[in-house]
Amino acid sequence: MSTTPGNIGISQIGQIAVNVQDPERATAFYRDVLQLSLLFQAGGLSFFNCGGVRLMLSRAEKPEFNHPSSILYFRVPDISAAYNKLKDSGVRMEGEPHVIAKMPDHDLWMTFFRDSEDNFLGLMCEVKRPA
């Protein structure tokens, strides 16, 4: 076993926890509005598949953990279509899709929204530029 700093074998994110106040409401939002695949529920926890990363919705275990989540950025193939679908579903959007950065071969677009628990989330899309 190597003890070299930085060589602990981390290869990817396995799970992200999102704090929720109302587990049933949040589960419905992530399942029905964001259309993530519900893997299973255990107690007050709900687990979703998001492109191989497990997303766990749960109430905060201690008061010091009871705060909005970090910003999750969901990659989408068509940010305008995703934005319109969420907006039409009554999701509270925090601005329209816009270019964040112009990269050498694509533009990075983002838009933001709130989930049912008031967590701030983002959509991101890398749009290839014509050659």
Side-chain angles (χ1 to χ4, degrees):
M1 178 186 288
S2 173
T3 58
T4 306
N7 189 17
I8 61 174
I10 293 175
S11 62
Q12 68 183 58
I13 294 173
Q15 180 169 294
I16 297 171
V18 175
N19 288 334
V20 301
Q21 300 299 315
D22 184 332
E24 288 181 24
R25 177 180 64 202
T27 297
F29 180 87
Y30 282 77
R31 180 192 61 224
D32 302 338
V33 177
L34 297 186
Q35 299 178 337
L36 294 179
S37 176
L38 179 63
L39 295 171
F40 62 96
Q41 293 180 284
L45 309 175
S46 294
F47 296 86
F48 293 86
N49 178 31
C50 184
V53 175
R54 194 165 53 205
L55 191 62
M56 179 184 77
L57 306 182
S58 65
R59 288 185 191 268
E61 291 182 24
K62 297 179 181 178
E64 60 266 29
F65 298 137
N66 191 13
H67 56 78
S69 70
S70 298
I71 301 173
L72 301 178
Y73 292 84
F74 296 103
R75 188 182 303 267
V76 295
D78 181 337
I79 198 162
S80 293
Y83 169 84
N84 289 328
K85 185 168 179 74
L86 290 178
K87 188 174 179 182
D88 291 348
S89 296
V91 173
R92 185 170 50 144
M93 304 306 293
E94 299 282 342
E96 295 186 5
H98 56 282
V99 174
I100 295 291
K102 292 188 176 286
M103 309 304 273
D105 65 341
H106 68 275
D107 294 333
L108 177 59
W109 286 74
M110 290 189 184
T111 190
F112 298 92
F113 63 99
R114 300 283 178 161
D115 72 4
S116 61
E117 308 306 295
D118 208 33
N119 290 307
F120 195 69
L121 303 169
L123 297 179
M124 62 182 284
C125 182
E126 295 178 356
V127 179
K128 293 274 186 197
R129 279 196 231 108

